Amino acid sequence: MTVIAVLAEPPRPGLVLSELAETSPLSESEAAELYAAMLKDVCIAVERSGGDLLVNYRAEDDIPDGFAGDHESEAEVRSVVADALGGTDDARFEPQVGSTFSARAGNTVSHLLNEEEVHSVAVVRPVAPLLGRTHIDSAAMKLRSTPVVLGPSTEGRVYFSGFLDPIDFTDAYAEPEVETLAERADDAGHGLDYVPMLPVLETGADLATVVPMLRSRVESERLVPEHTTTFVFEKGLRVESTDGVLELVRD
C-alpha cells in the first residue's frame, strides 16, 4: 500500500497561490478559495484510490507572520478535508517538519519508509486538480518494482513524486523539479519511471491551461474534479481568443 502524503497549507489569502492572484483576474481571497477546492479534489482522488491518505499540514508556528488565521492551521485544513470526504475518519493528519518544501517532503518520506516501514510513499501538492484515482493507482503499481516514480508537469514541475526507497532530499525539489529529482534518483542508484504529464495550477498561465480542459470535459460529459470545476464555472472563468491571442477572462 502506498501512503499518499498531501502537503497542504491552510487556505489563507496571500499565503497560498499568491502568484496566481498576481497574474490572473482572481483576487487573493478567490485564489485561496480555489486552493481549498483543489485540496478537496485531490483528497477525494486519493480516498478513491488504493492509497492511504496522509494530510501533511503546515504547522501554525511555521506560517510566516502576517498570515494568521481565525483558527489553527490544523483545524482549517481538517475542515476542508472533512467537507470533501464527509469526515476525517479515513485520513491521517500530521504536521510538516522542515524549513523548506524539500525538507518537509524529505522528512515525511524518510520517516514513513525508515521508521514506519511502509512499502512506498508519494508526495503531492493540492495544485493538481486533474489528478485522479487512475493516476495514483498507476503510479502505485509502478512503485511495486521501481524505486522512484515521477508525475511531470509543465515548466519542469512535478505533481507527483513517489518513492520506494529514499533519496538525498536536500534541495531535491529545486527547479526544474523533475530534472533535479531524476538526478537524485540516479545518484542513489535508483531506477526511475514516470506517469503521464498533468498540469498544475499555480499561475495565471496555468489557470489559462486548465480552464479550457475543464470546460471541454464538461462539454463531453467526462469525469471532472467537482470542486475545482464548480469554482471555474461560478467565477465565470473562460479563455477567449482576441486577434489570435488567447486570454483568460471572466463573464
Side-chain angles (χ1 to χ4, degrees), residues 20 35 38 44 50 53 73 77 109 163 204 206 209 215 224 228 238 245:
L20 176 62
Y35 182 91
M38 292 192 292
I44 288 171
L53 174 60
S73 173
V77 173
V109 172
F163 306 91
D206 297 335
T209 296
R215 286 186 168 274
V224 295
T228 305
R238 64 174 63 252
V245 177

Side-chain angles (χ1 to χ4, degrees), residues 56-98:
N56 232 188
Y57 60 89
R58 187 93 171 262
E60 189 66 39
D61 58 6
D62 189 41
I63 293 175
D65 294 341
F67 297 107
D70 295 332
H71 304 283
E72 287 289 308
S73 173
E74 179 182 359
E76 289 185 41
V77 173
R78 276 184 178 273
S79 177
V80 174
V81 175
D83 187 48
L85 304 182
T88 57
D89 290 345
D90 294 329
R92 172 180 170 185
F93 291 79
E94 296 289 345
Q96 299 174 17
V97 177

Side-chain angles (χ1 to χ4, degrees), residues 13-14 16-18 20-22 24-34 231 235 250:
V16 296
L17 299 182
S18 58
L20 176 62
E22 294 171 356
S24 79
L26 299 181
S27 66
E28 288 187 343
S29 294
E30 289 171 328
E33 184 182 346
L34 175 57
F231 176 91
K235 302 302 180 185
R250 302 180 73 160

Side-chain angles (χ1 to χ4, degrees), residues 129-208:
L130 291 171
L131 175 67
R133 173 187 60 81
T134 56
H135 301 106
I136 296 169
D137 287 343
S138 174
M141 286 289 291
K142 291 177 181 289
L143 282 168
R144 292 183 178 182
S145 57
T146 305
V148 179
V149 174
L150 300 178
S153 188
T154 55
E155 298 183 355
R157 292 169 291 183
V158 296
Y159 68 88
F160 181 102
S161 45
F163 306 91
L164 186 64
D165 295 303
I167 61 172
D168 179 1
F169 282 97
T170 305
D171 297 326
Y173 288 83
E175 298 176 345
E177 295 174 342
V178 68
E179 184 176 351
T180 306
L181 287 164
E183 290 174 350
R184 296 301 169 83
D186 184 64
D187 290 344
H190 294 338
L192 173 65
D193 205 347
Y194 300 88
V195 286
M197 178 179 286
L198 286 177
V200 294
L201 207 171
E202 298 177 303
T203 69
D206 297 335
L207 185 58

